[in-house]
Amino acid sequence: MRFILPIFLILSVPTNLTADSSVIDLEFVRARIVFSAEHEGGLHILDISNKQVNEVQVGMLNIGFLDYDRKKNILVFEGTRLKNSPKSIYLYHFKNRVIKKIYNAGSFTNSLRRPRFQPGGEFIYAVNANKGIYRYSLKDDQWSRVKVEGSKSEVYGAVSFAKSGKIVAISPRNFNGFIIADLVGGNFIVRKHILSKYINTNQPQWVGDHAIIFAGRNQQPGPQRLWKLDFGKKNRNLFSRPRLLTQDPIGVRDYVALSRDEKTVVFTGMKNTLEWRLWKITVNGDNLEQLTKGGQLSGHLSPIWVD
């Protein structure tokens, strides 16, 4: 059953803007990680080859979660032009630098958060803290509500797709573990709630359809860490246990992204300082490296590979 967005989520006419192209020519930056700064506006781009950080000025005072679709070369992000105001959702087209507003929040109650592309680039999923999960069709320019069959809750924290686009990990509202579900006919069918004893888990990255990498904490004291949970190649072992990828003193926030070849993870982490910076590590927990240093920017959040 399909639900059309209620009146409070009806979009205004989308607004098209153009990003400042004088800052950096995106066509000549190859291996890139785009991220947002915690208290400054703009999108920031890290060139992996030389560790140089540049800015794309998109006219936003505050930017939230990001996601990227390689097929369409489009970035989706939360942003606001005013201080202390709810974030709307925008698309950024790398090729022509056009910014399009696809959802106008209007209020904090009505805001949609944590947008995520379904692999293939035809739909974007986002969550409302009180109304559940919604899907945006790039073709129809329309939002609709998504039903989660087999779940006792109607509100969720985030959605993350496996590589096939047919399996998802849904974060419950309290961010304790994940609800593994199948996408069937436009709705989600729940398989199982896993890792319920892990807290602050949020929007993992899938390795193929068989494993997830996530930031979170078990019931032991200490900072959040990076974990990997492997279900097996047939995606059936939902009772497996995760293993640690990072150790103290590295603390990890809930911002994780996977490279195109699914061999490297970039994440927001901290080591013996009060600065949240970007780090990378292999999916097997090897070759930990800090990518960004201190500077004028505040926390480096929501990294996403656009290589």
Side-chain angles (χ1 to χ4, degrees), residues 14-223:
T15 302
N16 290 347
L17 305 165
T18 302
D20 185 348
S21 60
S22 65
V23 180
I24 180 174
D25 191 338
L26 296 173
E27 298 301 319
F28 291 94
V29 180
R30 292 178 292 275
R32 301 166 288 174
I33 293 174
V34 178
F35 65 94
S36 62
E38 191 159 14
H39 300 299
E40 294 85 8
L43 294 171
H44 305 275
I45 300 184
L46 169 68
D47 186 334
I48 298 295
S49 64
N50 58 21
K51 305 297 193 296
Q52 182 179 354
V53 176
N54 293 281
E55 181 182 4
V56 176
Q57 296 174 356
V58 292
M60 305 287 168
L61 292 178
N62 192 0
I63 291 178
F65 283 81
L66 316 174
D67 197 26
Y68 175 71
D69 182 77
R70 290 185 175 95
K71 182 179 179 181
K72 294 183 178 296
N73 198 21
I74 297 175
L75 189 80
V76 62
F77 66 93
E78 306 168 357
T80 178
R81 301 178 183 280
L82 302 173
K83 292 183 178 180
N84 302 318
S85 65
K87 298 182 184 70
S88 296
I89 297 181
Y90 297 84
L91 296 179
Y92 178 76
H93 296 257
F94 276 92
K95 185 175 182 179
N96 56 20
R97 301 183 178 90
V98 169
I99 302 168
K100 177 183 178 180
K101 181 188 286 187
I102 62 171
Y103 179 71
N104 184 23
S107 70
F108 288 101
T109 301
N110 297 340
S111 63
L112 292 177
R113 298 215 56 211
R114 304 176 189 269
R116 185 61 59 94
F117 280 102
Q118 181 183 359
E122 301 302 325
F123 298 98
I124 295 170
Y125 287 72
V127 297
N128 176 273
N130 301 301
K131 299 293 184 179
I133 301 171
Y134 289 86
R135 182 178 71 179
Y136 173 75
S137 169
L138 277 76
K139 178 181 178 180
D140 299 331
D141 192 22
Q142 184 177 3
W143 290 90
S144 58
R145 192 173 180 182
V146 179
K147 185 177 181 180
V148 182
E149 299 180 11
S151 174
K152 296 179 181 179
S153 177
E154 294 186 357
V155 292
Y156 307 94
V159 175
S160 181
F161 279 90
K163 189 174 183 179
S164 68
K166 298 178 181 179
I167 308 170
V168 295
I170 303 173
S171 300
R173 189 175 186 178
N174 62 5
F175 294 104
N176 287 4
F178 303 105
I179 300 168
I180 303 300
D182 297 301
L183 178 62
V184 180
N187 294 322
F188 295 130
I189 309 297
V190 171
R191 289 193 195 179
K192 186 176 178 60
H193 188 170
I194 64 172
L195 303 178
S196 59
K197 293 184 179 180
Y198 286 73
I199 63 176
N200 298 329
T201 58
N202 178 28
Q203 209 160 21
Q205 288 287 314
W206 283 82
V207 182
D209 281 21
H210 67 273
I212 56 173
I213 295 175
F214 64 96
R217 184 165 65 86
N218 57 15
Q219 295 182 334
Q220 301 299 317

